[in-house]
Amino acid sequence: MSKKILDRRFCVAPMLDWSDRHCRVFWRQLSHHAVLYTEMITTGALIHGDHKRHLDYSDIEHPVALQLGGSDPEALAISVRMAEQWHYDEVNLNCGCPSDRVQNGFFGACLMARPTLVADCVKAMKDAGDLPITVKHRIGIDEQEGYGPLQEFVGAIADAGTDAIIVHARKAWLQGLSPKENREIPPLNYDLVYQLKKDFPDLEIIINGGIQTLEDARSQLSYVDGIMMGRSAYQTPYLLAEVDEHFYQQAATGKTRRDIIHDFLPYIEAELSKGTRLNHMTRHILGLFNGQAGGKLFRRHISEHAHRPGAGLEVLHDALAFVERSW
């Protein structure tokens, strides 16, 4: 299997409970080229659980990366081989999540205190197959101060052969802040990420954290190789419709929000026939008409009706009618 080459100029972040397979198919209606990431899956769940449920996805999702949580090199290597069998385009190691559950499993952001272990994990993952291996991490944790610990961590995983790093430009506090607070309270420090690019010029560096608009995103490309956007992409998904034009020099599709919904309908219909509940899919599209006339009625109608037993495509058609009547 030849080594995959991904263009990570624009990535959409792994987000627990949000970036599931239905959401990623929806995002693909908006951008053909953005690199999409799965929710974090632990190596234990993958190896000992229902791996088909965890790994299955739709072909339309490519390029798609599998994010893993774990700290055992052997388990991570097994998981990489499974990802390769499922034809993922990349495997990403989570060294950035600060939740208590993740810490208790000894993975996520707490691994930033163990650069040698993470380097061993990266090397095992690289040796397991030909997929690109990347690491997502913070600029530091807890009492780590200054640039030194970050430089040491990145140096260790760069030497181990990581293909790229994705840096959330905030410190993580493992005690005292919730995961939500850790996304908002620690101040952003983009300069530390820019310094990494100067010190590791041959390492692909993607910046993450606080990027809310495509203008913000494009400005970052003067300093780093790519950007990763998370909650802004989820909450205002229509901004993804301009990604291919502005980041990949592809002609704009000209798709309207209504076009996006109609292009998503065949997938929804197919999933309904398999027994998937409508609200499992439509919860990801609630922000599509944010700021548009009729957008609140669209969102309210879906929220009130999509969860009901037997709910089908008529819920979406009726929700769209509220928008069209507002034009």
Side-chain angles (χ1 to χ4, degrees):
M1 181 177 179
S2 61
K3 189 177 182 64
K4 293 178 179 290
I5 299 176
L6 295 184
D7 188 337
R8 301 182 187 88
R9 272 176 283 180
F10 192 99
C11 306
V12 185
M15 290 176 279
L16 194 61
D17 296 326
W18 286 7
S19 58
D20 65 16
R21 63 188 180 92
H22 307 308
C23 184
R24 298 191 304 266
V25 169
F26 168 59
W27 283 336
R28 270 292 166 247
Q29 313 308 315
L30 294 126
S31 169
H32 296 302
H33 298 284
V35 181
L36 307 182
Y37 286 71
T38 70
E39 303 170 271
M40 183 188 67
I41 302 170
T42 66
T43 55
L46 201 55
I47 295 170
H48 304 296
D50 184 349
H51 58 269
K52 187 175 187 297
R53 179 175 67 85
H54 288 304
L55 290 173
D56 271 357
Y57 62 91
S58 301
D59 284 342
I60 191 179
E61 294 177 41
H62 290 290
V64 59
L66 174 69
Q67 189 186 63
L68 292 175
S71 59
D72 177 68
E74 182 179 354
L76 286 163
I78 293 169
S79 299
V80 168
R81 287 193 285 271
M82 296 170 73
E84 198 159 55
Q85 291 172 359
W86 252 262
H87 304 294
Y88 278 87
D89 298 294
E90 172 191 315
V91 177
N92 177 262
L93 178 62
N94 184 323
C95 293
C97 181
S99 77
D100 291 340
R101 181 178 67 84
V102 166
Q103 292 179 60
N104 291 337
F106 195 56
F107 53 93
C110 64
L111 290 176
M112 290 200 68
R114 302 283 299 276
T116 301
L117 173 59
V118 178
D120 290 342
C121 291
V122 169
K123 187 177 187 308
M125 295 167 76
K126 291 287 294 182
D127 291 344
D130 292 318
L131 287 179
I133 303 300
T134 64
V135 179
K136 188 173 189 292
H137 59 88
R138 297 289 186 122
I139 56 173
I141 57 172
D142 295 340
E143 303 303 331
Q144 289 180 344
E145 292 293 341
Y147 179 63
L150 176 62
Q151 184 182 36
E152 179 188 359
F153 179 83
V154 172
I157 61 176
D159 288 345
T162 186
D163 291 277
I165 60 171
I166 302 163
V167 189
H168 186 159
R170 284 188 174 93
K171 182 184 283 192
W173 288 94
L174 303 183
Q175 303 295 329
L177 293 181
S178 69
K180 181 179 186 296
E181 290 170 332
N182 262 302
R183 292 192 297 268
E184 299 168 353
I185 293 177
L188 288 161
N189 190 335
Y190 292 144
D191 287 341
L192 288 184
V193 187
Y194 303 158
Q195 186 63 47
L196 284 175
K197 187 60 191 176
K198 293 176 183 176
D199 291 343
F200 301 91
D202 297 327
L203 178 61
E204 184 176 348
I205 298 179
I206 313 302
I207 198 166
N208 171 231
I211 300 170
Q212 298 184 350
T213 68
L214 294 189
E215 290 73 21
D216 292 342
R218 291 180 68 183
S219 69
Q220 294 289 346
L221 296 182
S222 299
Y223 308 99
V224 292
D225 302 296
I227 73 99
M228 175 175 276
M229 185 178 285
R231 277 152 180 76
S232 294
Y234 188 89
Q235 293 163 347
T236 53
Y238 194 64
L239 66 78
L240 295 176
E242 297 185 10
V243 163
D244 291 353
E245 179 183 9
H246 292 295
F247 289 83
Y248 296 96
Q249 289 71 57
Q250 301 294 313
T253 64
K255 282 186 177 182
T256 66
R257 291 169 173 82
R258 188 175 184 276
D259 294 334
I260 300 299
I261 293 289
H262 280 279
D263 288 348
F264 193 36
L265 288 179
Y267 174 82
I268 294 176
E269 188 171 27
E271 285 294 317
L272 288 171
S273 71
K274 299 174 187 176
T276 303
R277 296 284 296 271
L278 180 66
N279 63 311
H280 291 176
M281 297 171 280
T282 56
R283 68 190 184 97
H284 301 301
I285 71 173
L286 294 178
L288 185 60
F289 287 92
N290 275 356
Q292 302 294 303
K296 289 182 179 178
L297 293 173
F298 172 86
R299 187 165 58 249
R300 181 189 303 166
H301 186 80
I302 292 175
S303 298
E304 291 177 351
H305 295 276
H307 68 280
R308 296 180 178 179
L313 295 182
E314 71 283 350
V315 173
L316 276 172
H317 290 304
D318 291 344
L320 276 174
F322 282 113
V323 177
E324 291 167 351
R325 283 200 293 269
S326 300
W327 291 347

